[in-house]
Amino acid sequence: MPSILKRRPDAVYVVLGATHPNLVRDQGEAYRENLMTRVRELGVENNVVFLDQFVDQATLLEFISMCDVYVTPYLNEAQMTSGTLAYSFGLGKPVVSTPYWHARELLADGRGVLVSFGDAAGIGNEIAQLLTDDPRRQVIRKRAYAASRSMTWERTAEGYMAAFENARQRHWLKVIARKPDPVAPSGPAAPAMQTGHFLSMCDDTGLFQHAVHSVPDRSHGYCVDDNARALLLACALNEPGEEPLAEVLTARFAAFVQHAWNPDTGRFRNFMGFNRTWLEDKGSEDSHGRTLWALGECARKDASLPRRRWAAALFAQALPTVEAFRSPRASAFTLLGLDAYCAVVPDDRHAGETRRTLAERLMSSLASVETPGWQWFEEGLAYDNARLSQALIVTGMATRTPGYVEAGLRSLRWLMTLQTTSTGHFRPVGTASFGERLKPPLAFDQQPVEATATIAACLSAWRADDDAEWKTIATKVFAWFLGSNDLSVALVDPETGSCRDGLHPNRANENRGGESVVCYLLSLGEIRQLARVSVNPANPVALRAIGA
């Protein structure tokens, strides 16, 4: 404490709890009295507080929640575990500890600070550093809280259930015959399709980008990215069993895409202000690819024949620009659009050649980066990751190219190992991972677009290799929307169909923008289709992954 007080004179060390009954029985209060004498000798009696009382759990948690740094300075590894360490870690407190077994496991990888046994000077120095370095303390706090979400009772129970199920499936007894199970993969029941919030996010121009809570935010206007996604949703809701969007609304999204086309640059504009003024001459490569994807699906699945013809014509006009692109996601989005467009216009030789070029481009990216420990197309993970794998899978299926399918499945399996926690729930690649090179993904912030991409990719994988495990994974990923996630927080309001914009380390993002609601509704549509196919496999609907 004297060394801490030199750098932080207002520090207070609280020693909470009654002396252990066994120690009282053998030695009385000699140990506590010796500590108090030591405090007076060091002249720190105003900064060390002894609370000699037994406290219940609620009181204990109150005290832990008040502290800035929690300290567990046990003397040796014989102190195998610590309940208060688990509590403080779960409350997101920076912990300074000696390396007994529990602390060594829990606080590794920057989730806390470990100091050698008996090193009083080292402990004092680490505590003082944390108390005088707010950014570092906050980083450790967030890492601890994020890591502790897998330790909640709900996640622990899921871990036990997964272990039991694994043991059951691996039991040496073999089932000789079984009646096919007609029900959908296990998981939370899919909610009804509610489009109330989605409709509130639209005006006579198109879909707004952002919202403040659930209120559309006009200040950020519109973008072709989100209106292309909305056109994808309109196509998805033409599936049997769903209620199509109003014709005027679908026409509005198509009109936005048409207006975004800039023939002078051969590109789609992306951002538009609320005053209907374009903010750029051309958008990103990714937004161009995503718009082509929406046009391809519109050409295949729109309810209006004239609009299908419009979509096919604009797709063909905007496709050549992609050949000069370098973004892997732009290639993937365009390949997903080509999967639909080529089914409608099979004689378009240029489209077929472009499909082969883009697929080979993704294959080359995978070959140039892939190692046994990093089976991916890039040296980092960013957004919409599963779309890269999905694009190769659907292209391989359509062109009868097994190498594409195998590469897509291999990379998707690897991605799912990174996006599945030890308890079996989905943890999408967080935005904090962007820019990290050859490193495992960071947990936060988590966004709906990742879940939607993963669901669609897994269902494409299921159609490619007929492994029912992909259906199970897709259902588990959808459960992320419903609360099976790191924070055990539901992102969706089933009554309105709204979806929060994501998960921060300690809370959900309460804003409910255009991208999020479309992603949720697209995923909901796919899961509802999957349920219909599973219940009535003899009369399947045309199950296609669309996504966002």
Side-chain angles (χ1 to χ4, degrees):
M1 278 302 294
S3 66
I4 295 171
L5 293 172
K6 289 178 181 178
R7 297 164 64 181
R8 192 67 196 243
D10 59 345
V12 176
Y13 183 26
V14 178
V15 184
L16 175 65
T19 308
H20 196 285
N22 291 344
L23 200 60
V24 172
R25 182 192 61 209
D26 296 337
Q27 301 178 17
E29 290 288 0
Y31 176 60
R32 179 181 297 274
E33 292 168 357
N34 180 60
L35 290 177
M36 296 174 73
T37 299
R38 180 66 174 155
V39 165
R40 289 191 294 271
E41 290 174 350
L42 292 172
V44 295
E45 60 269 26
N46 292 330
N47 301 87
V48 178
V49 178
F50 289 92
L51 296 177
D52 183 7
Q53 62 187 78
F54 174 81
V55 295
D56 59 18
Q57 184 186 56
T59 305
L60 173 62
L61 295 178
E62 281 190 34
F63 272 96
I64 294 176
S65 69
M66 289 188 288
C67 76
D68 295 295
V69 176
Y70 192 81
V71 188
T72 58
Y74 295 116
L75 295 178
N76 54 60
E77 288 184 342
Q79 180 66 42
M80 185 172 63
T81 189
S82 168
T84 56
L85 172 60
Y87 288 143
S88 57
F89 192 74
L91 285 167
K93 296 299 176 180
V95 178
V96 176
S97 176
T98 49
Y100 56 96
W101 291 342
H102 188 187
R104 195 165 59 206
E105 175 184 341
L106 207 59
L107 306 181
D109 300 324
R111 296 186 295 267
V113 179
L114 295 172
V115 182
S116 300
F117 293 110
D119 185 0
I123 289 179
N125 181 59
E126 291 294 346
I127 295 172
Q129 282 193 12
L130 287 175
L131 290 177
T132 55
D133 188 344
D134 289 347
R136 180 179 178 230
R137 191 170 71 250
Q138 291 301 315
V139 166
I140 294 175
R141 182 186 67 77
K142 290 180 179 180
R143 286 175 180 169
Y145 185 81
S148 72
R149 294 310 85 197
S150 64
M151 297 163 52
T152 64
W153 283 114
E154 184 176 358
R155 297 285 87 83
T156 301
E158 289 176 357
Y160 274 112
M161 292 300 294
F164 296 153
E165 179 63 17
N166 184 60
R168 184 187 69 79
Q169 291 180 357
R170 294 176 179 272
H171 198 277
W172 64 272
L173 288 175
K174 302 297 182 182
V175 177
I176 303 302
R178 169 185 283 175
K179 182 180 179 181
D181 186 357
V183 300
S186 60
M193 181 69 71
Q194 300 289 354
T195 58
H197 179 69
F198 171 74
L199 297 177
S200 75
M201 287 291 295
C202 300
D203 68 357
D204 59 354
T205 298
L207 176 66
F208 285 109
Q209 282 193 79
H210 297 296
V212 180
H213 288 248
S214 62
V215 178
D217 184 1
R218 294 178 175 181
S219 64
H220 287 92
Y222 320 84
C223 65
V224 78
D225 269 332
D226 290 341
N227 281 272
R229 290 184 174 104
L231 189 57
L232 285 170
L233 177 62
C235 294
L237 292 180
N238 288 329
E239 292 289 353
E242 301 295 355
E243 182 177 350
L245 290 180
E247 163 63 22
V248 66
L249 198 58
T250 304
R252 196 170 296 159
F253 302 139
F256 192 100
V257 169
Q258 177 62 56
H259 191 39
W261 172 245
N262 186 347
D264 294 336
T265 63
R267 296 278 288 273
F268 291 100
R269 306 173 181 93
N270 191 15
F271 296 111
M272 173 191 280
F274 181 63
N275 61 358
R276 290 188 176 181
T277 299
W278 289 109
L279 306 180
E280 58 194 356
D281 291 329
K282 61 182 180 181
S284 66
E285 293 184 4
D286 289 4
S287 66
H288 190 98
R290 184 177 286 106
T291 308
L292 283 171
W293 175 14
L295 287 169
E297 285 295 338
C298 184
R300 174 164 61 181
K301 299 181 69 174
D302 197 281
S304 164
L305 176 59
R307 197 159 48 239
R308 291 201 300 272
R309 291 171 174 166
W310 159 81
L314 185 54
F315 184 98
Q317 189 176 1
L319 179 62
T321 306
V322 178
E323 296 174 16
F325 287 178
R326 290 294 175 262
S327 164
R329 281 159 188 78
S331 294
F333 298 153
T334 304
L335 284 170
L336 294 173
L338 281 163
D339 184 61
Y341 174 82
C342 290
V344 176
V345 192
D347 297 330
D348 188 332
R349 291 183 57 188
H350 177 257
E353 292 169 357
T354 303
R355 177 154 64 169
R356 182 71 65 179
T357 297
L358 297 180
E360 287 296 327
R361 193 173 292 172
L362 284 180
M363 292 291 287
S364 296
S365 297
L366 182 62
S368 65
V369 175
E370 184 177 21
T371 65
W374 189 266
Q375 297 174 26
W376 198 240
F377 304 83
E378 304 168 290
E379 292 186 337
L381 293 162
Y383 79 103
D384 254 339
N385 294 287
R387 296 299 182 189
L388 306 183
S389 301
Q390 182 192 357
L392 281 181
I393 292 170
V394 301
T395 302
M397 291 288 288
T399 62
R400 294 181 172 83
T401 310
Y404 295 168
V405 176
E406 193 281 327
L409 292 173
R410 183 175 74 251
S411 57
L412 183 60
R413 288 192 187 98
W414 178 82
L415 179 64
M416 290 314 302
T417 64
L418 300 184
Q419 296 190 126
T420 305
T421 68
S422 59
T423 59
H425 72 269
F426 177 64
R427 176 185 290 159
V429 173
T431 58
S433 306
F434 297 1
E436 295 285 333
R437 181 177 177 272
L438 300 176
K439 290 183 179 180
L442 299 173
F444 296 99
D445 291 343
Q446 300 176 17
Q447 297 188 341
V449 68
E450 291 306 308
T452 299
T454 306
I455 290 168
C458 288
L459 292 179
S460 295
W462 164 55
R463 289 187 291 276
D465 71 358
D466 200 30
D467 184 349
E469 179 62 18
W470 288 115
K471 292 193 294 182
T472 301
I473 295 172
T475 304
K476 288 182 177 179
V477 175
F478 182 75
W480 178 86
F481 286 104
L482 307 181
S484 183
N485 50 52
D486 284 326
L487 301 188
S488 299
V489 171
L491 278 82
V492 300
D493 176 359
E495 297 299 319
T496 65
S498 69
C499 179
R500 294 176 172 91
D501 282 349
L503 291 178
H504 299 309
N506 58 350
R507 62 180 176 84
N509 185 332
E510 290 300 330
N511 298 332
R512 302 160 192 241
E515 176 184 298
S516 300
V517 65
V518 173
C519 284
Y520 165 62
L521 294 177
L522 283 166
S523 293
L524 175 59
E526 293 200 288
I527 293 300
R528 284 163 59 87
Q529 284 189 63
L530 178 61
R532 287 191 285 269
V533 170
S534 300
V535 169
N536 189 13
N539 185 29
V541 298
L543 181 59
R544 293 185 179 274
I546 296 180

